Amino acid sequence: MKTKLTSRIVATTLVTALAGIGLTLPAAGATGPAAKPTLNKTHGTAHDKALQAGVDAILKTGSVGVVAQSTGPRGSRYANAGVADKATGAAARSGDRFRMASASKTFVATVVLQLVGEGRLSLDDSVEHWLPGVVSGNGNDGSRITVRQLLQHTSGLFNYTADFAPLTSVDAYQAGRYTTWTPEQLVGIAMRHAPEFEPGAKWSYSNTNYILAGMIIEKVTGHSWEQQVTRRIIRPLGLRDTSVPTTDTRISGRHLHGYSDFGKTGPTIDTTAFNPSAAGAAGAVIGTTADLTRFYKALLGGKLLRSAELKEMKTTVRTPDLDVVWPGASYGLGLMRVPLTCGGSYYSHAGDLPGSTTRNGISPDGRRVVVLHATGDGASDLSTERAQSDLIDGELCA
């Protein structure tokens, strides 16, 4: 396999909410010719033109639709390009909803850290303490893995989505997209495999970690992680376009459609309708650029966590595997830290599902936020990833 394709697979694997697609398939090809950009005509400054140029650059790499929002002390700016729905030709718009995939992990980590701040659990508690017998077999031992290691991706647990049948091809996705999965079933897939390494020995992205974190939230509170995210984050912040579905396969209201050919295993299909239980606490949240912006501003601005817990969240370990896309990146508790080309760094959490990607960048104080979402498989090399990173870096360095 060519090096550039391998790099794309590695990058996708590590950031996706359903990372198995990156492990089992060749790199996805472009979804067809780029749609004609839909320009944002409400702004005319150099900064606005730069944002639109960045969005257009992403579209040209093979995306179907792109929406972006850049927010700072002077307010918010928006840029859109392409279409939200290929069937109707409806243009992509800034208020369109989308599946944020692994960006959901920051919501889940926030709830866990709120519970830590309330004294209801500790980051040093073992998984076995809260979920007896769940992590066991084939060398897996929940008594040796801490809550911190789950949130930090240093548990060593096998990534269940690397052995997840619905992600292996177009036909498999169509056959399994409406199946309901329990968290226990998803963890059970991981338990069929030996751990990748000893707990704490290194870093490796695993969606299994956050399925377990969601289960711990329910054990501690008596309520599901979906209910806790809604009660503790969505409602207090007034995130009216954000929802946490359990098994509903639809996205209500106007939304962006995803498109993928699953590594050229069949025709490009609309991947939007999907049972979110397959992603669970690892990536089931639906939202918009505006709602994600409000969430990140509140989180990094100290409105959702006490200073001690926010410090824990922002304390990172190096992630060399991510250097192919984000040179010098490191990972904390549900947040990634990425160096800026102009100096300093920003926080982020990417999210990928078949046929769509969410990217974001937040200044350490939460005052500047960039959120974008792109649909389609994108380019077969790293040009889509680079165009997305360039937009975020350019906005935060402006």
Side-chain angles (χ1 to χ4, degrees):
M1 183 175 292
K2 294 180 180 180
T3 301
K4 67 177 183 179
L5 298 185
T6 302
S7 296
R8 173 66 171 172
I9 292 171
V10 169
T12 303
T13 297
L14 293 172
V15 300
T16 184
L18 296 179
I21 189 171
L23 287 170
T24 58
L25 301 178
T31 57
K36 183 178 180 180
T38 301
L39 297 176
N40 172 21
K41 299 182 182 301
T42 58
H43 301 283
T45 68
H47 288 317
D48 301 323
K49 292 178 181 178
L51 180 62
Q52 186 65 56
V55 164
D56 294 344
I58 296 168
L59 189 74
K60 290 175 182 176
T61 65
S63 298
V64 175
V66 186
V67 296
Q69 177 173 341
S70 181
T71 301
R74 293 182 294 177
S76 293
R77 295 174 290 111
Y78 308 86
N80 319 305
V83 297
D85 185 347
K86 291 169 68 175
T88 65
R93 300 193 306 189
S94 58
D96 289 346
R97 295 172 180 154
F98 51 81
R99 299 189 189 279
M100 66 179 70
S102 278
S104 306
K105 288 181 172 67
T106 312
F107 287 75
V108 173
T110 298
V111 170
V112 172
L113 287 166
Q114 286 179 342
L115 294 172
V116 170
E118 294 164 10
R120 301 175 70 175
L121 80 160
S122 168
L123 288 172
D124 296 320
D125 287 344
S126 71
V127 174
E128 179 70 13
H129 173 77
W130 290 105
L131 304 173
V134 172
V135 175
S136 62
N138 293 313
N140 296 289
D141 184 355
S143 69
R144 301 179 60 214
I145 299 170
T146 66
V147 174
R148 184 193 309 276
Q149 289 167 340
L150 293 181
L151 299 184
Q152 193 181 57
H153 292 301
T154 55
S155 71
L157 292 173
F158 180 83
N159 184 4
Y160 80 91
T161 54
D163 184 20
F164 198 60
L167 297 177
T168 57
S169 68
V170 169
D171 287 344
Y173 184 79
Q174 290 178 315
R177 69 195 299 174
Y178 300 121
T179 301
T180 295
W181 297 82
T182 67
E184 290 79 8
Q185 287 175 315
L186 300 178
V187 173
I189 294 172
M191 294 302 102
R192 298 201 295 254
H193 300 265
E196 302 287 339
F197 50 82
E198 290 292 309
K202 56 185 294 187
W203 182 92
S204 184
Y205 197 90
S206 175
N207 292 296
T208 308
N209 292 323
Y210 275 75
I211 300 298
L212 289 164
M215 295 171 70
I216 290 172
I217 288 172
E218 182 164 2
K219 192 65 178 288
V220 173
T221 66
H223 300 283
S224 70
W225 74 270
E226 295 98 334
Q227 291 171 319
Q228 289 295 304
V229 166
T230 300
R231 184 178 75 82
R232 292 169 173 269
I233 300 174
I234 295 175
R235 288 177 182 164
L237 295 182
L239 307 182
R240 290 174 292 184
D241 292 313
T242 299
S243 60
V244 193
T246 52
T247 59
D248 189 349
T249 63
R250 304 163 299 168
I251 301 178
S252 63
R254 187 178 167 106
H255 58 274
L256 296 164
H257 290 241
Y259 299 95
S260 181
D261 64 11
F262 292 80
K264 301 186 185 302
T265 60
T268 296
I269 62 170
D270 186 322
T271 59
T272 312
F274 176 74
N275 190 318
S277 65
V285 182
I286 292 169
T288 62
T289 59
D291 276 6
L292 266 176
T293 297
R294 181 175 293 186
F295 166 64
Y296 291 133
K297 285 176 67 69
L299 177 62
L300 274 299
K303 302 293 179 60
L304 292 174
L305 294 174
R306 300 188 319 169
S307 58
E309 284 70 54
L310 185 57
K311 182 179 179 181
E312 292 278 11
M313 175 177 265
K314 295 168 72 173
T315 300
T316 61
V317 296
R318 271 287 285 129
T319 55
D321 292 340
L322 295 182
D323 285 346
V324 65
V325 176
W326 299 286
S330 56
Y331 196 95
L333 306 184
L335 274 182
M336 179 172 65
R337 186 171 65 201
V338 182
L340 283 165
T341 59
C342 56
S345 61
Y346 66 89
Y347 289 92
S348 176
H349 205 300
D352 295 63
L353 285 168
S356 66
T357 62
T358 300
R359 298 289 183 266
N360 46 68
I362 311 99
S363 64
D365 60 4
R367 298 184 66 198
R368 303 189 68 183
V369 182
V370 183
V371 180
L372 68 88
H373 186 84
T375 61
D377 286 332
S380 59
D381 56 15
L382 288 172
S383 58
T384 301
E385 293 285 356
R386 287 170 179 152
Q388 292 169 334
S389 294
D390 287 348
L391 184 153
I392 292 169
D393 186 84
E395 287 296 307
L396 294 177
C397 283

